[in-house]
Amino acid sequence: MILLFFGIALILSLLIFIFPKRIIIASASILYVLAHLLLTVYSYENLDLWDTAYFKFDSLAVLLNGLLSLLLIPVTYHAKLYLQRHVNNPKKESFFAGVMILLSTAISSVYFAENIVVMWVSIEITTLAVSFLIYHTRYDTPLEASWKYLFLSSFGIAIAFLGILILASQATSAEGADLSISYLSSAAAQMDPFFLKMAFVLILTGYSVKLNVFPLFAATIDAKTVAPSPVNAIISTALVNAGFVAIFRVYSIINQTALNSWAQHIFLLTGLISLALATIQLFRIKRFKRMFAFSSMEHVSLILIALSVGKLGYYAALLHLAFHTLIKGGLFFQFGQIRAYFHSGWIKDSGSYFKLNGIAALAFIVGILSITAIPPSGMFVSEFLIFKALFARGAFITAITVLTMLTVIIYVILKKTMHLLYAELPANFNPDKVIANKFEPISQFLLFGLVTYLGFNPPAVLTNLIHATINLLN
Amino acid sequence: MIIVLIILFAATLVYFFLSERVAKFVWLLSIQGVLLFGIALLNLIHTQIFGLILILLETLIVKAIIIPGFLHRLQHQNRLKRVHESQIPVFYSLLIITAILIICFLISYNIDNQVIQLRYFTVALATVIGGMYFIIIHKNIFSHLVGFLIIENGTFLLSLAVGSEMPFMVSLAVLLDVLIAVLVIGIFMNKVQDTFDDISVSKLNKLKD
């Protein structure tokens, strides 16, 4: 099935590239979203079954692929609006749409890959796709961001490959290296602890570029600063999740050994450093997209800190990941409207948004309340569970440190939000150039509402998938 | 014989830090590709024929011919002759890369592991660290690409050190992936030159808030 899906995705993207016509772009994009949804349903129906020798429909993959399917629906709509407003050239539009399909397919491939090298190859494809998507406007700042992202990601991926090779060396049998996650997990207990540690650190360092955490976060932040909103809605959510999957798979291997508490310490260290860096950097930001990028860094840090708690924190970490995906996607859709309204992404160029575009401003407020985990946001529940786990484990100093940094982050984000909503109109604002669509905020209200609902009434399908994912670690 | 090739490989690594001419970097990468071909051939002569052909293709065709050829084109398109802007004098870099080699040698010989072949591991580790150091001391993005390729060569040597044979399809995917990445990086480098009239990283600073 998965190969069929890859085939369909490839044909659709080729169709778009070869015939750059709007009707073909729209039809192929819709067909792709349907195919993606079908893949999610099929994988859920065939949970825990293998699909070819390299892919498996496990609970984590199904959960994250489902979230991506859900996001792709509004992404298709907002991408159409973005292209109409800012590109308006069928050839460039076709390139954008075709690469978006390839990016989403590569991300799904990362989720479902059961082989650590197939996962690596898929991650490398996402790097190439993101670089082209950032640069598709051909201006100088996107070029700078593309170059940095491409180079630093390739560097990170090369480092991760070193880790994979070291892991492979420890799992070599008479028939050669078996690099499936299940085999590596079963062989983990026999691996040399020194090499296992080395592999884990190298893979975490390498994939930190996708996960948007310390040490290789800089290029990702720059990429998000210039990427178009629909692309950001994918790379700040589904692609971050792909990085999480890659790290989670390696953690599931190391978790079979006595080194699991050591790995949790590494998660804690990475999480705390990343959170501290995000807190400091947020004071310096002058653009909304950069604010959201550092906010993503903050949430991934929290997820790593939750993982560091062990069994008590796994549920909270996965719930937080799911909620972050939906809320951050919605916020980027909303930012697309702010950009179209003020014709700028700089905070200083915005103001009086509440007065000018009330419904969209309301969507922005709800989004900000959701992302800062202020009740009734669903994220309040997941963050509450993270702190509950930290206190239950007796990590009081960590919990208080994290709480302090979160308070600072909330203050900075709310301050910037207030500027957008209530500050005086900037001198360069031109009402004649305003682009607004009253239907655009609908997707954001739906996504933020969904997170609130899921936070307080999580359906069995969500909790079962999360619990099944936790079982993958045991 | 293998040990001679590995020592020659380590010598090319040192030579990267002695040179400031861009053409030399391209030649050195090509020589590293040929040396890797020799090492792989001697090491994997008894393995499956498909795997062997693929690895030879990767080293001789891709690493020794295609990539250096592509870099040579990039060098001419961007009129690059000499890299002046290394942040650390050659003499100190030479001392540092020698220290890296000695430290990697000491680390490797303190590793007690049956699977890893230490003669490859020492130079592979030094190559990866050397590649990173090469990137750090240069401001020019062409040199960054060269540093990235040094790391790639170190990774390839490490794959021989760990002695793991990956499935044919997986190896093919890795090979294509790396090749495409290098080509795309090169294309972007050309765009940077066209847009900024320079390929120094100091020009790439518009994104900071």
Side-chain angles (χ1 to χ4, degrees), chain A residues 54 115 117-118 120-122 124-125 128 131-132 135 138 140-141 143-148 150-151 154-155 158-159 161-162 164-166 168-170 172 176-177 179 192 194-195 198 222 225-226 284-287 290 346, chain B residues 107 111-113 115-116 121 125 128 132 135 141 144-145 148 151-152 154-156 158-159 162-167 169-170 173-174 177-178 180-181 184-186 188-189 191-192 195-196 201 203-209:
Chain A
Y54 300 119
N115 182 296
V117 181
V118 173
W120 181 87
V121 170
S122 309
E124 177 70 16
I125 295 170
L128 299 174
S131 304
F132 282 115
Y135 183 57
R138 319 227 159 176
D140 52 354
T141 38
L143 176 61
E144 181 185 334
S146 293
W147 165 262
K148 285 180 177 171
L150 183 61
F151 187 80
S154 301
F155 175 78
I159 299 294
F161 196 65
L162 284 177
I164 290 171
L165 284 173
I166 289 170
S169 75
Q170 301 301 304
T172 306
L179 295 170
D192 183 328
F194 172 76
F195 284 100
M198 199 188 210
D222 285 346
T225 305
V226 294
R284 297 170 59 186
I285 55 106
K286 290 176 181 152
R287 281 176 267 203
R290 223 166 165 80
W346 293 83
Chain B
I107 291 173
I111 290 171
D112 179 25
N113 192 287
V115 189
I116 290 185
F121 190 76
L125 199 62
V128 171
M132 288 180 194
I135 291 172
I141 62 174
H144 287 188
L145 182 55
F148 174 68
I151 294 174
E152 282 293 336
T155 310
F156 182 83
L158 194 74
S159 72
V162 299
S164 311
E165 198 189 327
M166 290 187 198
M169 286 305 289
V170 174
V174 171
D177 224 28
V178 171
I180 293 169
V184 172
I185 289 175
F188 270 98
M189 205 191 89
K191 297 275 179 200
V192 170
T195 311
F196 296 95
V201 281
K203 297 272 177 187
L204 302 176
N205 58 3
K206 287 191 178 173
L207 280 167
K208 284 180 186 160
D209 269 349

